[in-house]
Amino acid sequence: MTAARVWALWWWMCLGVWAGVGGVAHAGPVRLVDDRGGVVTLSRPPVRIVSLLPSLTETVCDLGACERIVATDRWSNWPERVRGLPKLGGLDDPNVEMIVAQRPDLVLVAPASRLAQRLRGLGLTVAEFDARDVHEMQRVMAHVAILLGQPERAAQRWTALQAEIASAKTLLGGRGSGARVYFEVSSTPFAAGESSFIGQLLTQLGARNVVPASLGPFPKLNPEFVVKADPDLIMVSAQDAASLAQRPGWAGMSALRHRRVCALSPVQVDVLARPGPRLGQAARVLAQCLSLVERER
């Protein structure tokens, strides 16, 4: 640590900025712009948080403020601590009365929700965040850390996540390098494209996504698109993996003929579905799938 860094930390401590009780930093007012362009203002770091998006719940906990969350949406299930908290509904059916009853000083929601304006009308402070790619994930983590009154933790955690991704690539040892991958989000089919956070992780691990960035992060595809793409490896939920060969034209695809189908368990799907602090775990899951592809094909 440099002398300037030591001096800066000493100065902040003398002002009492980080001398907190119960892990809550005593910082001054915070004002930032959320993902919907709304201005979020807090006179002090929040101590009662309602989180209505699993990735945001996980982010708050990963930043060391899990004890401040008093309730979540029904889908937030990680870490273990949040499973016993009151569940206030989902994106489409939030229980407004229960949210207000929690007396939150901050409510975290997705920009896609129509709930924010209503909650603001009831006098609650609301911040809207979501991420579809790795860059957005870093930004969301940084903004949430600022709202929590501990902005430095975001950089620390992001550095750790990047190290976990690098470790996953090292353990892969070149297996699957250059493999053409199709990652199915749902059997409609919706896919994770090259520009999604899943697609970006695959690129970092040395794979190639058959769904180009030009189609968007999570596009709905014509089933014939996948057949024509003929990927080397298919990543899909275990629930849908068994029926892939029954889809028109799929039985003749290279991935099925050579048994290169990675059937993801519910736990693995859960990790991969959320653009949050379990990014390193997601990279390890993808690396395990890529190991199915021989170095020489």
Side-chain angles (χ1 to χ4, degrees), residues 2-27:
T2 65
R5 177 69 172 155
V6 171
W7 185 90
L9 287 175
W10 175 86
W11 186 75
W12 280 111
M13 290 174 66
C14 287
L15 288 177
V17 174
W18 300 113
V21 176
V24 180
H26 290 293

Side-chain angles (χ1 to χ4, degrees), residues 69-293:
I69 300 178
V70 296
T72 73
D73 64 287
R74 70 164 59 92
W75 306 114
S76 289
N77 59 3
W78 188 91
E80 181 71 27
R81 184 185 184 282
V82 307
R83 295 184 181 182
L85 294 176
K87 300 303 178 183
L88 309 180
L91 184 67
D92 298 322
D93 62 345
N95 190 317
V96 175
E97 290 184 0
M98 287 184 65
I99 294 171
V100 174
Q102 298 299 320
R103 297 178 289 106
D105 40 23
L106 177 64
V107 182
L108 299 173
V109 302
S113 171
R114 299 178 180 179
L115 181 65
Q117 185 174 355
R118 185 175 178 186
L119 293 179
R120 291 189 181 103
L122 294 171
L124 299 181
T125 299
V126 182
E128 302 177 71
F129 297 116
D130 198 6
R132 293 185 298 176
D133 62 32
V134 173
H135 175 72
E136 290 179 355
M137 288 168 61
Q138 184 178 15
R139 173 185 50 75
V140 169
M141 180 174 285
H143 283 181
V144 172
I146 290 171
L147 291 176
L148 294 174
Q150 43 196 37
E152 291 188 350
R153 287 191 65 92
Q156 296 166 358
R157 287 300 303 137
W158 193 255
T159 298
L161 289 177
Q162 294 306 303
E164 291 177 24
I165 296 170
S167 176
K169 184 174 183 178
T170 298
L171 291 174
L172 192 55
R175 288 171 295 176
S177 178
R180 300 173 65 254
V181 177
Y182 167 68
F183 187 105
E184 186 167 284
V185 176
S186 74
S187 59
T188 306
F190 279 93
E194 188 179 24
S195 63
S196 69
F197 71 95
I198 294 172
Q200 290 169 338
L201 284 178
L202 286 170
T203 298
Q204 290 187 57
L205 294 172
R208 292 186 294 161
N209 198 316
V210 299
V211 181
S214 59
L215 295 182
F218 297 101
K220 181 179 180 180
L221 302 175
N222 183 318
E224 293 182 2
F225 175 93
V226 187
V227 176
K228 292 180 179 179
D230 195 19
D232 301 314
L233 173 67
I234 293 174
M235 301 182 187
V236 63
S237 72
Q239 180 179 353
D240 292 324
S243 61
L244 290 182
Q246 299 173 18
R247 299 180 184 181
W250 283 53
M253 292 168 59
S254 175
L256 271 71
R257 287 189 289 106
H258 296 285
R259 298 182 180 180
R260 299 195 194 110
V261 175
C262 189
L264 301 167
S265 71
V267 173
Q268 291 173 322
V269 170
D270 194 61
V271 170
L272 288 163
R274 299 175 180 179
R278 289 193 284 173
L279 195 66
Q281 294 182 41
R284 287 196 296 273
V285 171
L286 295 176
Q288 290 170 8
C289 289
L290 286 169
S291 68
L292 296 175
V293 183

